[in-house]
Amino acid sequence: MKKLNLTVAMSIFVAAVSTNLSAQDTNTDNHTVTISIPEVALVDIEPSATKNITLGFTAPTEAGNPLTASAANNTLWMNYSSIKSVADPTRNVTVKLNALIPGVDLHVTAAAASGSGAGTLGTPAAQITLSAADQTIISGIGSAYTGNGANNGHNLTYALAAGSGPGGVAAYADLQATATTVATVTYTLSDN
């Protein structure tokens, strides 16, 4: 009887071990997916083929009248793509001018974002009188994109004023006749 009990016990043990060895799958399983999201900070002015603009003044035809500034130019658009970092939840776009023209104020205004973009698009500032110092023109940009090209992003309007224009700092007395002066406007997208 001892031999029979030992044989039965041995058979049950072997059956249990072989059942556990062959039962590898269950009703659930899992694996990992590694995802990488790059930090992005890109800005450009569109349309790129014609982004250099010309503004000027017209001489008065009647003695006693001031110069007349050319009409404002609103042909340019600011586009950007931004994926914010964990450390800096928003970004700004700043603008500056490399060469000031005596007696002349150059104003720029950015409109609210429009077009095919999405995400946390930035908020434009009021009209800015350009200077050599960086000034914030768009603030509060999160992870967003404006869409590419003209009619996407922030429409930019440039206007001239001859001394003491609205919000200006130039003095009419500083004006000097010049054939052409080329100034570069620089936009920078950066963390706060």
Side-chain angles (χ1 to χ4, degrees), residues 95-97 99-101 103-110 125-137 157-171 185 187:
V95 61
K96 67 181 176 181
L97 186 66
L100 299 179
I101 301 148
V104 176
D105 286 326
L106 177 58
H107 302 291
V108 63
T109 306
Q127 181 185 66
I128 291 175
T129 301
L130 293 173
S131 70
D134 280 317
Q135 299 176 71
T136 300
I137 188 165
T157 300
Y158 287 90
L160 286 178
S164 303
V169 294
V185 180
Y187 291 90

Side-chain angles (χ1 to χ4, degrees), residues 41-60:
L42 300 171
V43 64
D44 73 352
I45 304 302
E46 297 285 348
S48 59
T50 58
K51 67 181 172 183
N52 297 325
I53 60 175
T54 300
L55 298 172
F57 293 94
T58 302

Side-chain angles (χ1 to χ4, degrees), residues 42-43 78-80 91-95 128 135-141 154 186-190 192:
L42 300 171
V43 64
M78 179 194 314
N79 298 163
Y80 52 80
R91 292 192 160 105
N92 294 330
V93 175
T94 58
V95 61
I128 291 175
Q135 299 176 71
T136 300
I137 188 165
I138 308 289
S139 61
I141 300 167
H154 300 271
T186 302
Y187 291 90
T188 304
L189 174 63
S190 59
N192 287 333

Side-chain angles (χ1 to χ4, degrees), residues 40 42-46 77-83 93 111-123 138 141-155 189:
V40 177
L42 300 171
V43 64
D44 73 352
I45 304 302
E46 297 285 348
W77 292 79
M78 179 194 314
N79 298 163
Y80 52 80
S81 295
S82 171
I83 300 296
V93 175
S114 63
S116 63
T120 304
L121 296 166
T123 303
I138 308 289
I141 300 167
S143 292
Y145 64 95
T146 59
N148 186 38
N151 302 312
N152 287 300
H154 300 271
N155 186 227
L189 174 63

